[in-house]
Amino acid sequence: MVAEQTLPDIAFEGSADIQELAGRAFQLIRAQGMFASDYAAIRVQIDALASALDVSGDELTGAIEANPQVFALETGEEATWVASTRLGQAPRPNVPDTRHSFAERFMTPEPAPERPLRTEKPVPEVAAFTEVATAIEDAHEEEVEIETELRAEGFTFDADVSVELVTDGEVASIDKEDETRKPSRAAEPVEAPEPVAEAVPEVAEPAAEAVEAEPQAEPAVVPSDFSGLDDAAVAAAIAETLRSDSRVANFGDQWMAEDQVDRLSRGNLRSLADYINEQEQPLTDDVLVQDVLGVRRSAPNFENARFSMNFRLSSERNFEFLGTHNQPFWGTTDLPSIGTTRRKATDIGTDYRYLVDEVPVGSVAPRSVRSVEHTVSFYEFTYGLLPLDASMQALLPAPVMPDQRSAVLMVEIPQFENSVYLVEVRYPTHNRGGFLLGLDDFYEEKLVPGALISIEATDNDGQYKIEYLEDDERQDRFLELDDRRSPKYVFRPLSYDTAVNEEWLVTESRFPRLGNEKPLPDKQRRHLEQVVEQVFQRIGEDDGGSLIAAFTDLLVAINVERPASEALLRATIEAMPSVSDDGSGILTYDQSA
């Protein structure tokens, strides 16, 4: 359904002619930005606008300056621009407020609270004891005087009578004993506080020393000035801080509070593994959440369930993450490998060992190019693969997880109806090169060794397209590896209608002696010097005790046995004293050397 488009109600200023001209100018500007948002600035050169309205530049400038609430004039180095919006308002500068941004708040911690020193124990106030003691002594003297007067009048007293006196609100209790003991009891409260006052410093001083000796934890030094850092550096610092916090769950570039992540029971894990193994191929997280966990895509908790499953599976040893940022695939350790069974993936990685030296880690930015053109060699055609060289690394995504060994991509062949292949990317390690597996069916169905193909990226970093150039149908006898019984190379007729690079064709007319030859053993093919010597024996022409061959032919024939780049082959030949190059592209191999 298309919503009705209505013009905003705008009151233009100026004379009738000026208003009419301003209205026409606004309609053209609005038509120019018909797909822009309501508040986005739509800019048109004033000369082009005046030409479209069939008026002079001065007339149009006057109409625009008369309506500053609708238009804005922007003067550049080469032209003057008229700007407005779909709502008929002069565009306002959209400057983000960075005075209190998330990065600043997150990366600038609050100052560590000062830890107060231990306070000394309160010292008892001696004055209170002194006042009570003085009151008791005065009461005692008064009591003695009263007792003396009463005795003079004939009264008698018991020695154990207790007398209570109230002085200034304090109650003093005095035991009636003999006269000789009263002074000593009255003086005790006065002398008692003195040892207490002396004991307080003895207890407080060691405590203060202990506080001073206790080591204080230094707060982590976090830079507070980000003016010299780009957005990527700030984002990396934030991500590193979050990953070290156990309260935060992380999967790829997604984050969530750990206490909000759903748990997976052992039954859920068994169901997920069984479902993947039943399908016999890796599955995306969308499929697993809907088909196994039973959460519909339209459910409000779908995204939470998907993140929770991805986060929990990332710590399970029986599951393996095989996806990208936009297309997370999950597999199990029991799944069969994608691609050829003719050669082990570890052996293929060893064959591409030279790529580790030619393309150092971090030298190529992933997803930095949109498409790559490539010529399929005999080795690549036989095993249905592509090398992860510098150009392919610039096209494909980088691993999502730190320990991710491989990723599964969906490759579409638009020239085949409903033809989509799952291709596995094996990332390079410190002693094995990287490559892509899983294209053997496509190669055998449509291509030949030497075919030209184009690999194109899409907006989804897990989906790619492969196209080939079509040509007139031709037929020739191409070399193939027959490994049904004893492996050997044979020539067979093939029809093809794709464009090819003539230099990389491996046909019987070009290399007739390769037929019925057996592949070299792995121990020999790992040493490129030995492969070069053996290939000279197979394709070289006798030249009086020496064998000669063109460098291009040698490169193509070596890629029958094992992969080798042009740079690697030239470096190897330069280090071989038995091979010489006259500079014309013809190499000579001295068999007696």
Side-chain angles (χ1 to χ4, degrees):
M1 182 180 71
V2 179
E4 181 181 358
Q5 301 293 325
T6 58
L7 291 174
D9 187 11
I10 305 173
F12 294 100
E13 298 181 357
S15 62
D17 295 340
I18 291 179
Q19 293 180 14
E20 188 269 340
L21 179 57
R24 291 167 54 202
F26 173 71
Q27 291 179 0
L28 283 179
I29 293 175
R30 195 171 190 269
Q32 177 72 17
M34 63 175 62
F35 297 111
S37 61
D38 289 344
Y39 297 96
I42 306 171
R43 295 177 174 84
V44 180
Q45 287 190 11
I46 191 170
D47 295 339
L49 186 60
S51 177
L53 295 173
D54 196 16
V55 296
S56 64
D58 295 338
E59 291 177 352
L60 181 59
T61 302
I64 290 171
E65 292 178 347
N67 294 273
Q69 76 282 4
V70 180
F71 306 102
L73 283 176
E74 300 178 359
T75 303
E77 296 180 358
E78 299 180 355
T80 302
W81 302 78
V82 182
S84 185
T85 62
R86 286 177 54 82
L87 295 181
Q89 300 175 1
R92 300 177 181 177
N94 186 12
V95 180
D97 185 5
T98 60
R99 293 174 297 176
H100 194 55
S101 63
F102 172 76
E104 179 183 359
R105 289 186 285 113
F106 189 83
M107 298 301 295
T108 306
E110 296 182 358
E114 295 183 1
R115 186 174 180 181
L117 297 177
R118 298 176 182 175
T119 57
E120 298 181 356
K121 293 183 178 181
V123 180
E125 296 184 5
V126 183
F129 290 97
T130 305
E131 292 177 0
V132 174
T134 304
I136 293 175
E137 186 176 359
D138 294 342
H140 175 65
E141 293 178 356
E142 183 178 357
E143 178 189 0
V144 172
E145 294 178 359
I146 295 175
E147 184 178 351
T148 302
E149 294 177 357
L150 293 177
R151 287 182 184 278
E153 296 180 1
F155 290 93
T156 59
F157 298 90
D158 262 340
D160 295 333
V161 174
S162 178
V163 180
E164 291 185 354
L165 298 177
V166 179
T167 58
D168 297 334
E170 298 287 340
V171 179
S173 177
I174 305 173
D175 291 333
K176 289 292 299 178
E177 298 179 355
D178 53 55
E179 302 291 340
T180 59
R181 296 177 60 186
K182 290 185 185 298
S184 62
R185 291 180 60 84
E188 285 178 2
V190 179
E191 298 176 357
E194 295 181 2
V196 174
E198 295 175 359
V200 171
E202 296 177 0
V203 177
E205 288 176 2
E209 293 174 359
V211 173
E212 294 176 0
E214 182 180 353
Q216 299 289 335
E218 297 183 359
V221 179
V222 179
S224 57
D225 183 12
F226 294 93
S227 58
L229 301 178
D230 55 9
D231 294 343
V234 176
I238 295 175
E240 185 66 25
T241 304
L242 289 176
R243 288 191 185 96
S244 62
D245 193 340
S246 60
R247 299 169 300 176
V248 180
N250 165 237
F251 179 78
D253 55 357
Q254 296 178 334
W255 309 83
M256 180 184 289
E258 206 281 335
D259 57 358
Q260 300 296 322
V261 180
D262 299 336
R263 305 285 176 180
L264 292 180
S265 65
R266 304 312 302 177
N268 293 143
L269 295 175
R270 283 194 299 270
S271 299
L272 291 168
D274 292 343
Y275 190 72
I276 295 174
N277 293 332
E278 289 174 1
Q279 301 299 318
E280 297 183 348
Q281 66 179 22
L283 299 175
T284 61
D285 56 357
D286 283 0
V287 173
L288 294 175
V289 171
Q290 295 180 79
D291 294 355
V292 180
L293 301 184
V295 182
R296 296 182 179 179
R297 174 174 287 276
S298 59
N301 63 328
F302 178 80
E303 292 297 335
N304 191 351
R306 181 167 62 174
F307 176 86
S308 300
M309 186 198 70
N310 288 332
F311 176 70
R312 299 302 180 192
L313 292 185
S314 63
S315 59
E316 295 291 332
R317 290 186 295 178
N318 295 335
F319 292 87
E320 185 177 7
F321 180 74
L322 302 172
T324 61
H325 284 286
N326 302 137
Q327 190 166 265
F329 271 102
W330 284 101
T332 66
T333 55
D334 298 329
L335 277 181
S337 300
I338 295 177
T340 183
T341 57
R342 285 179 162 180
R343 189 165 178 79
K344 295 181 180 179
T346 53
D347 294 335
I348 296 176
T350 303
D351 292 341
Y352 281 112
R353 170 68 177 82
Y354 70 92
L355 291 177
V356 179
D357 300 326
E358 290 188 357
V359 190
V361 177
S363 61
V364 179
R367 300 273 295 177
S368 58
V369 299
R370 188 69 180 181
S371 64
V372 169
E373 294 183 354
H374 183 76
T375 301
V376 180
S377 68
F378 180 88
Y379 181 91
E380 298 163 5
F381 178 87
T382 302
Y383 299 110
L385 56 83
L386 288 172
L388 199 60
D389 53 14
S391 59
M392 292 300 295
Q393 289 190 27
L395 178 71
L396 300 182
V400 177
M401 310 297 288
D403 55 348
Q404 185 175 350
R405 299 179 302 172
S406 59
V408 173
L409 308 178
M410 295 181 64
V411 175
E412 178 187 2
I413 313 296
Q415 290 154 300
F416 289 176
E417 186 177 358
N418 300 325
S419 180
V420 177
Y421 295 88
L422 287 184
V423 176
E424 184 177 5
V425 180
R426 292 294 184 103
Y427 291 109
T429 62
H430 66 283
N431 60 351
R432 289 190 178 96
F435 52 93
L436 290 80
L437 277 174
L439 296 171
D440 40 352
D441 291 342
F442 164 59
Y443 285 174
E444 292 179 3
E445 183 175 357
K446 198 62 182 176
L447 304 184
V448 293
L452 294 170
I453 61 173
S454 173
I455 306 98
E456 182 180 357
T458 65
D459 294 336
N460 187 327
D461 65 355
Q463 298 180 7
Y464 290 80
K465 295 180 181 180
I466 292 182
E467 296 180 343
Y468 56 88
L469 295 177
E470 297 181 352
D471 201 349
D472 297 335
E473 185 174 354
R474 289 179 286 177
Q475 186 176 5
D476 207 336
R477 293 180 61 84
F478 285 88
L479 188 71
E480 290 185 2
L481 175 62
D482 186 359
D483 53 0
R484 289 175 296 182
R485 295 181 181 177
S486 177
K488 63 179 180 178
Y489 298 114
V490 296
F491 287 103
R492 289 184 180 145
L494 287 177
S495 298
Y496 62 99
D497 58 356
T498 59
V500 295
N501 185 346
E502 299 289 343
E503 292 184 351
W504 283 87
L505 293 180
V506 188
T507 59
E508 187 175 18
S509 59
R510 184 179 183 186
F511 303 109
R513 286 183 288 166
L514 289 182
N516 296 323
E517 290 285 350
K518 293 183 179 181
L520 298 177
D522 286 343
K523 186 176 181 180
Q524 186 175 359
R525 65 191 291 172
R526 289 196 182 105
H527 301 280
L528 187 56
E529 297 87 351
Q530 299 181 22
V531 178
V532 171
E533 294 174 354
Q534 189 64 36
V535 170
F536 264 111
Q537 299 288 341
R538 292 178 176 180
I539 71 169
E541 298 180 2
D542 190 7
D543 185 28
S546 299
L547 298 175
I548 61 174
F551 177 84
T552 303
D553 293 344
L554 189 68
L555 177 62
V556 173
I558 285 176
N559 274 271
V560 171
E561 290 291 339
R562 54 154 294 169
S565 65
E566 180 180 347
L568 176 63
L569 180 57
R570 291 192 182 278
T572 303
I573 290 175
E574 290 178 358
M576 296 177 62
S578 59
V579 180
S580 59
D581 184 1
D582 60 0
S584 63
I586 303 299
L587 305 177
T588 302
Y589 171 60
D590 186 359
Q591 302 182 75
S592 60

